[in-house]
C-alpha cells in the first residue's frame, strides 16, 4: 500500500512539473512570466510582471537563493529597488533609488549605448550611500530563439561598467526579451535559460 501511495505522489508531482507553458499568453498578453537561468555555478530566478504602459515589476532571486530583489521599472528604465538577503549587517536589506541618465525610454538594446546610473541607497543598518556607475553597452545580436517551448525575440549584448567612486570595472553579458520587457545578466558568460513558466508561486522577501 505504501508503494502505491508513493507512486501516486510521484506521478502527481511529475504531472505538476510538466504543466504546459502558455506561449501565446507570453507573446500577446501581459501574463506574468517566470524565468529560471544560471551563470556558471550561480542559479537565479526572475519573475516579471508587465503592464500595457511599458512599466514592469521584476523580482529576482539570485546568489543561489541568498538574495531577493524587487525592481520597479518605468518605461523600461529602473527607478527603484528593494533587496533582502541571508547576510547580516548592512547587506541584510536595502532600499535604492536610481537616477538613470542617457538611456531612452523603452530602450530596445539593438544599438550601442553609453549611459550612467546613480544609486542612492539606504541599508539595513541605517547607513546610506550614493554612487554612480558608467556603462558602455555593446549590441551583439538579435533574432527569434527557442526559450523553453516558446519562440521569443531575444537581444544579446555585453556591457562594461566603471564605478566613479572606486574606479573598479566589470564586464557582463546581457540577454534581453522585448516581449517580456526584461533582461537577465551573467557575470562570467551569457546566462543560460533553464526553464520558463506562466504559472508559479510569487516570490517574497527573505525574512
Amino acid at each position: 500500500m505504501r508503494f502505491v501511495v508513493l507512486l501516486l505522489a510521484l506521478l502527481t508531482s511529475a504531472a505538476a512539473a510538466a504543466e504546459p507553458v502558455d506561449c501565446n499568453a507570453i507573446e500577446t498578453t501581459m501574463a506574468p512570466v517566470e524565468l529560471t537561468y544560471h551563470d556558471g555555478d550561480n542559479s537565479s530566478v526572475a519573475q516579471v510582471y508587465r503592464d500595457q504602459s511599458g512599466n514592469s515589476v521584476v523580482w529576482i532571486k539570485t546568489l543561489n537563493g541568498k538574495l531577493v530583489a524587487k525592481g520597479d521599472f518605468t518605461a523600461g528604465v529602473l527607478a527603484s529597488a528593494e533587496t533582502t538577503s541571508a547576510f547580516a549587517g548592512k547587506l541584510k536589506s536595502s532600499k535604492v533609488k536610481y537616477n538613470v541618465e542617457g538611456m531612452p525610454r523603452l530602450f530596445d538594446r539593438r544599438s550601442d549605448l553609453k549611459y550612467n546610473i546613480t544609486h542612492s541607497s539606504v541599508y539595513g543598518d541605517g547607513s546610506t550611500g550614493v554612487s554612480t556607475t558608467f556603462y558602455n553597452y555593446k549590441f551583439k545580436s538579435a533574432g527569434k530563439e527557442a526559450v523553453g517551448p516558446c519562440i521569443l525575440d531575444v537581444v544579446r549584448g555585453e556591457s562594461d561598467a566603471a564605478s566613479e567612486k572606486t574606479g573598479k570595472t566589470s564586464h557582463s553579458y546581457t540577454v534581453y526579451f522585448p516581449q517580456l520587457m526584461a533582461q537577465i545578466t551573467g557575470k562570467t558568460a551569457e546566462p543560460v535559460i533553464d526553464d520558463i513558466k506562466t504559472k508559479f508561486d510569487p516570490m517574497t522577501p527573505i525574512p
Side-chain angles (χ1 to χ4, degrees):
M1 183 65 178
R2 182 177 298 176
F3 173 77
V4 174
V5 172
L6 179 59
L7 180 61
L8 288 173
L10 289 172
L11 289 173
T12 301
S13 176
E19 187 172 358
V21 178
D22 191 341
C23 296
N24 182 65
I26 290 175
E27 295 187 64
T28 63
T29 76
M30 296 291 107
V33 178
E34 179 182 271
L35 293 170
T36 302
Y37 59 98
H38 71 272
D39 164 30
D41 294 331
N42 179 41
S43 177
S44 303
V45 180
Q47 295 179 347
V48 185
Y49 300 85
R50 309 164 282 168
D51 67 35
Q52 293 286 355
S53 68
N55 299 336
S56 62
V57 175
V58 179
W59 286 78
I60 295 179
K61 181 180 290 186
T62 190
L63 298 181
N64 296 318
K66 295 179 181 178
L67 175 72
V68 171
K70 174 193 174 189
D72 291 285
F73 293 78
T74 302
V77 178
L78 183 60
S80 64
E82 297 183 17
T83 70
T84 55
S85 78
F87 307 114
K90 67 182 293 182
L91 297 180
K92 177 62 181 175
S93 64
S94 69
K95 293 184 178 181
V96 188
K97 296 291 186 182
Y98 297 92
N99 181 35
V100 181
E101 297 182 334
M103 177 180 285
R105 292 165 60 89
L106 300 176
F107 176 48
D108 65 5
R109 274 68 169 180
R110 295 172 185 261
S111 59
D112 296 349
L113 183 71
K114 292 183 178 181
Y115 63 98
N116 63 76
I117 302 178
T118 299
H119 317 67
S120 300
S121 306
V122 179
Y123 299 102
D125 63 355
S127 62
T128 62
V130 178
S131 63
T132 299
T133 303
F134 295 88
Y135 294 88
N136 185 7
Y137 170 80
K138 297 292 186 181
F139 165 67
K140 295 300 180 183
S141 66
K144 291 190 175 294
E145 298 181 21
V147 181
C150 306
I151 303 299
L152 301 178
D153 293 327
V154 178
V155 181
R156 299 181 182 274
E158 297 183 24
S159 285
D160 288 303
S163 169
E164 181 182 49
K165 181 179 292 186
T166 66
K168 290 184 177 180
T169 61
S170 62
H171 188 79
S172 61
Y173 304 82
T174 62
V175 181
Y176 179 66
F177 303 94
Q179 287 124 327
L180 303 183
M181 297 184 294
Q183 174 176 289
I184 60 175
T185 302
K187 295 298 185 183
T188 61
E190 284 192 349
V192 178
I193 297 292
D194 299 309
D195 197 11
I196 184 170
K197 296 179 180 178
T198 46
K199 292 185 178 179
F200 51 86
D201 295 325
M203 210 174 286
T204 58
I206 295 175

